[in-house]
Amino acid sequence: MNSIDNTMTEGNGSQLRFVRRAMVPERARPLAVDVIGAIWRRLFGGVFNTMLTLVSAFILVALVWPTFRFMIWDAVWDGASRVDCLEETLKRPVGACWPFVQAKFGQFIYGFYPEAERWRPNLVFLIGALLLAPLLVPGAPLKRINALLFFVVFPIVSFFLLVGGRFGLVHVETRVWGGLLITLVISFTGIVASMPLGILLALGRRSPLPAVRVVSVAIIEFWRGVPLITVLFFATYMLPFFLPPHWNVDALLRVLIGVTLFSGAYLAEVIRGGLQAIPRGQFEAAAAMGMGYWKVMGLIIMPQALKYVIPGLVNSFIALFKDTTLVLIVSIFDLLGQVRTSFSDPNWATPVTLFTGFAFAGIIYFVISFAMSRYALAMERRLSTDHRAT
Amino acid sequence: MTPQQQELRQTRNPVAVDIVGLNKWYGSFHVLRDVDLRIARGERIVIAGPSGSGKSTLLRCINRLEDWQEGSVVVDGVELTDDLKKIEDVRREVGMVFQQFNLFPHLTVMQNCTLAPIWVRHMPRKAAEDLARHYLERVQIPEQAGKYPSQLSGGQQQRVAIARALCMQPKIMLFDEPTSALDPEMIKEVLDTMVMLAEDGMTMAVVTHEMGFARQVANRVALMDAGQIIEMSEPARFFENPQHERTKLFLSQILR
Ligand SMILES: Nc1ncnc2c1ncn2[C@@H]1O[C@H](COP(=O)(O)OP(=O)(O)OP(=O)(O)O)[C@@H](O)[C@H]1O
Ligand SMILES: [Mg+2]
């Protein structure tokens, strides 16, 4: 229907006056047509786009093909020693030497945790996974109990299981822990313990009480100002001189405390960013109903502020997860540390051992970091209640 | 609540708000100057005046969202001082509705309404929800209980804000320009809600430029300018026979 039919036009052709005679009925939005054509135009429309497409394609192929060859096509899948991974033996180019990883798998995962006791870390992994899974699923019931079990009960149970020395379990010194086990212990403790610390420091920094503010700022700036390596060195080699001699604090525990304080200071600044994004009206509306400081913060402000800063928090968590590998310099052998130690085993000395080990460690780090990042993204979407962007 | 406290709460203190000699400065800016205002129980006062005259500041002194340097504010027999406990006691009994609604965006309408009753009044969840449903019905949006604030129109949001304040069963309600952020079509629905409240006998202090509303429900209308109350009288006299030049000027501007 032509809309001009419904209008009166006066003057020299311009629509000076307009009276609608018939309303335009609602109709369905036209379907997108020609998907292939649209993609083609995006990839090859114009010289610049075509060039970009070609360059990207080249880079992709140049990266993906060698990776594929190394990891899968040319890789050695079974064998018992270095001989099976040598070019001379196989008479072909050799990629990753997976039997090496298989042979060292126990060491990569548990370090030197005694073999007979490895059911204990396994049990911890299992309990952790069983508690974590329902926590991550949005609709799962009993969230509160689940969270309590995971964040409070699980660490305590894990502590007794891993350390032992009680309930008929053999004591396993933290010195022999290693591999993925130590990576996860440090990351999990660091993340879970530094969150509350970060929240308190962020609140402290914005507190109306000057003394609280000064102390918070001092803690944050101090811990942010020193490199993690210094913190670890200090915790391991210097702290014993300052503490009374009979205070025999476990080396791993000292590292955990250092990592927590360090990470807490960073989180505090991330969270403060979120606090600043909350309009004053939210504080006022909550306070005007008689809520005290902690209720206003805990029920109104923090839930919103934390939601805003999920990307920043996850960023810090991933950074922390990867930074745990620095504990190598204080002789704690995490996943990467174990991988590197295993290179010196003459049984497995081949030209590809180094690359295989790093590829394995890289895959594990990537899978865990990527999972955290994707999960955070999903959570962000689910928590978004402002219903503007969909 | 002990029986004594219960009794105390129900005793009818004839004076709801008593402001005497109130002076406040923002830095060196004298924003409230010698303000005296007494609001009787069940009384409805409308405060009007030009922008920046200190209306919001005065209203916010009544629940001590702002503090002051001189003078005293007594709400329902409790003098407001630095004592946090007393401030929270007073705030429990004084509801406030803001120009920008200030609903909690991460909570549903129902949760917005039940949060304070549960956490501040320690009401059981079930009772709080029944109460919330009751008030959402009174402001005529019972069907929106499960939605988030951002899914509602401005007028609906402001009515939720009123319901949320009412769920604390306050003795006094403060309104700071509750309709100025609304489109004309939505102003009426909010004003109707406020008229209903007035008819129920709620003690109200309302900052607004809705002079029709003032005429209809106010016991007294006050004009503020430069941090002072310039003139205050019953609506008939305030509108028909203003005494102060400033009032005449203001009315001529606003009533055109
Ligand atoms: N936090 C503050 N710091 C400094 N000055 C302020 C502050 N809040 C308000 N003022 C000033 O105090 C004066 C009174 O503000 P108030 O908000 O009470 O005015 P109002 O009468 O409510 O005006 P409006 O009609 O625009 O809401 C204004 O001049 C304002 O600029
Ligand atoms: Mg104002």
Side-chain angles (χ1 to χ4, degrees):
Chain A
M1 200 188 295
N2 186 345
S3 72
I4 296 292
D5 295 344
N6 297 320
T7 64
M8 264 167 36
T9 308
E10 277 184 20
N12 46 357
S14 66
Q15 287 188 338
L16 274 180
R17 285 220 206 130
F18 180 97
V19 181
R20 182 167 291 288
R21 295 278 153 73
M23 301 299 279
V24 180
E26 183 185 351
R27 63 190 172 95
R29 170 182 172 155
L31 294 170
V33 282
D34 191 19
V35 179
I36 295 177
I39 293 175
W40 185 261
R41 270 194 304 282
R42 272 187 210 173
L43 291 178
F44 298 108
V47 180
F48 183 66
N49 281 353
T50 310
M51 259 163 52
L52 266 187
T53 305
L54 292 179
V55 170
S56 317
F58 175 76
I59 293 176
L60 267 182
V61 172
L63 280 176
V64 170
W65 177 239
T67 310
F68 171 75
R69 283 199 62 165
F70 180 82
M71 307 277 276
I72 295 166
W73 193 253
D74 290 340
V76 179
W77 295 91
D78 16 50
S81 73
R82 62 186 292 271
V83 183
D84 299 309
C85 292
L86 290 176
E87 234 165 272
E88 294 89 275
T89 331
L90 293 169
K91 311 266 183 288
R92 65 166 172 89
V94 174
C97 178
W98 296 126
F100 159 69
V101 172
Q102 204 186 352
K104 298 284 176 188
F105 192 74
Q107 189 190 331
F108 291 171
I109 304 298
Y110 311 100
F112 301 106
Y113 207 94
E115 217 143 320
E117 302 298 325
R118 285 190 183 163
W119 62 272
R120 279 151 60 176
N122 282 341
L123 188 57
V124 168
F125 290 149
L126 181 72
I127 299 175
L130 286 182
L131 287 177
L132 183 62
L135 203 60
L136 300 186
V137 177
L142 303 174
K143 269 269 141 59
R144 211 171 289 192
I145 298 176
N146 196 169
L148 192 76
L149 285 175
F150 186 70
F151 291 110
V152 181
V153 179
F154 173 59
I156 297 173
V157 170
S158 304
F159 174 80
F160 285 114
L161 258 177
L162 292 174
V163 177
R166 231 166 286 193
F167 311 115
L169 294 170
V170 187
H171 177 63
V172 180
E173 280 185 76
T174 56
R175 256 184 323 115
V176 300
W177 301 17
L180 188 63
L181 174 64
I182 212 108
T183 301
L184 292 179
V185 164
I186 299 177
S187 317
F188 180 81
T189 315
I191 290 172
V192 172
S194 65
M195 256 319 262
L197 180 68
I199 289 175
L200 287 180
L201 286 175
L203 288 177
R205 191 162 190 168
R206 290 168 53 90
S207 164
L209 309 172
V212 175
R213 214 161 44 224
V214 168
V215 170
S216 306
V217 171
I219 295 180
I220 293 173
E221 296 303 339
F222 174 78
W223 288 100
R224 275 200 320 163
V226 283
L228 182 56
I229 296 201
T230 318
V231 175
L232 295 176
F233 256 118
F234 184 83
T236 308
Y237 300 119
M238 311 271 291
L239 204 60
F241 291 118
F242 291 93
L243 296 178
H246 58 277
W247 272 40
N248 205 351
V249 185
D250 183 85
L252 179 62
L253 182 61
R254 283 184 304 218
V255 163
L256 287 177
I257 293 171
V259 165
T260 300
L261 287 168
F262 182 81
S263 161
Y266 272 91
L267 292 186
E269 287 300 279
V270 173
I271 294 168
R272 186 165 70 99
L275 288 176
Q276 273 165 345
I278 310 293
R280 230 176 72 150
Q282 294 288 309
F283 293 84
E284 290 176 349
M289 290 193 292
M291 292 192 192
Y293 178 83
W294 292 107
K295 281 176 190 161
V296 174
M297 290 301 159
L299 297 170
I300 305 299
I301 306 303
M302 265 307 153
Q304 296 184 59
L306 291 180
K307 197 176 76 187
Y308 284 132
V309 297
I310 288 177
L313 290 176
V314 174
N315 208 19
S316 301
F317 291 160
I318 292 177
L320 173 65
F321 172 64
K322 293 190 298 182
D323 280 350
T324 54
T325 204
L326 287 174
V327 296
L328 185 60
I329 62 140
V330 292
S331 309
I332 294 178
F333 292 90
D334 73 325
L335 174 59
L336 202 61
Q338 290 294 348
V339 169
R340 291 177 55 165
T341 336
S342 66
F343 293 157
S344 55
D345 181 352
N347 269 333
W348 287 100
T350 75
V352 290
T353 303
L354 190 79
F355 302 113
T356 307
F358 281 135
F360 174 73
I363 290 171
I364 292 201
Y365 278 107
F366 178 79
V367 165
I368 296 181
S369 304
F370 190 64
M372 277 199 256
S373 144
R374 298 310 296 187
Y375 177 69
L377 209 65
M379 188 149 90
E380 227 176 293
R381 287 210 199 96
R382 194 166 56 78
L383 289 181
S384 150
T385 52
D386 48 14
H387 304 280
R388 259 164 267 146
T390 39
Chain B
M1 224 183 271
T2 64
Q4 287 95 327
Q5 280 172 315
Q6 194 95 40
E7 199 184 69
L8 212 65
R9 186 168 140 70
Q10 276 156 7
T11 42
R12 292 189 109 21
N13 194 329
V15 181
V17 178
D18 199 5
I19 301 174
V20 181
L22 189 64
N23 277 284
K24 175 177 172 61
W25 287 262
Y26 280 125
S28 61
F29 175 56
H30 198 173
V31 56
L32 293 178
R33 309 180 190 179
D34 287 338
V35 175
D36 296 305
L37 177 64
R38 174 173 289 189
I39 306 176
R41 176 166 300 285
E43 195 180 21
R44 297 171 296 276
I45 289 203
V46 165
I47 304 168
S51 181
S53 56
K55 309 179 295 289
S56 300
T57 309
L58 175 61
L59 205 64
R60 292 155 59 87
C61 285
I62 298 177
N63 61 0
R64 196 134 169 141
L65 282 182
E66 302 285 350
D67 63 356
W68 53 86
Q69 285 75 38
E70 279 175 18
S72 76
V73 177
V74 179
V75 178
D76 199 37
V78 179
E79 169 153 17
L80 283 167
T81 58
D82 284 334
D83 186 346
L84 276 180
K85 171 101 182 38
K86 277 190 183 158
I87 293 176
E88 280 169 25
D89 285 349
V90 164
R91 284 176 179 170
R92 264 197 287 272
E93 309 300 333
V94 179
M96 184 157 199
V97 175
F98 301 83
Q99 182 174 355
Q100 299 299 340
F101 326 141
N102 293 346
L103 293 176
F104 306 131
H106 63 303
L107 301 177
T108 61
V109 166
M110 176 56 86
Q111 291 166 333
N112 263 277
C113 292
T114 55
L115 192 76
I118 290 173
W119 288 91
V120 178
R121 286 236 189 270
H122 306 292
M123 212 181 255
R125 174 174 304 273
K126 179 80 181 46
E129 283 177 356
D130 289 343
L131 193 68
R133 262 189 288 277
H134 168 75
Y135 283 114
L136 286 173
E137 209 140 311
R138 300 244 25 205
V139 302
Q140 319 214 328
I141 34 175
E143 69 286 354
Q144 314 287 2
K147 290 195 182 169
Y148 285 95
S150 57
Q151 293 169 306
L152 305 182
S153 75
Q156 290 173 325
Q157 289 189 48
Q158 193 61 298
R159 283 184 287 155
V160 172
I162 295 174
R164 176 178 73 177
L166 292 176
C167 282
M168 283 294 283
Q169 299 181 296
K171 296 180 183 167
I172 302 165
M173 285 284 285
L174 310 175
F175 293 84
D176 190 0
E177 306 206 36
T179 58
S180 351
L182 296 177
D183 292 337
E185 291 177 51
M186 299 171 187
I187 291 180
K188 186 174 176 308
E189 62 189 50
V190 171
L191 289 180
D192 286 347
T193 307
M194 291 166 63
V195 169
M196 170 203 89
L197 257 187
E199 283 165 357
D200 287 354
M202 176 66 78
T203 309
M204 293 161 75
V206 185
V207 172
T208 183
H209 291 141
E210 295 294 333
M211 289 301 132
F213 172 80
R215 249 183 239 272
Q216 189 181 347
V217 307
N219 301 102
R220 282 183 294 160
V221 184
L223 180 80
M224 273 194 86
D225 192 18
Q228 302 148 72
I229 294 182
I230 302 287
E231 180 165 356
M232 176 155 65
S233 53
E234 356 22 296
R237 191 176 147 100
F238 185 88
F239 291 111
E240 273 32 286
N241 194 9
Q243 304 294 306
H244 199 288
E245 284 310 312
R246 193 67 195 81
T247 316
K248 289 177 193 164
L249 182 67
F250 179 76
L251 288 176
S252 73
Q253 279 166 346
I254 205 166
L255 293 177
R256 238 168 310 185

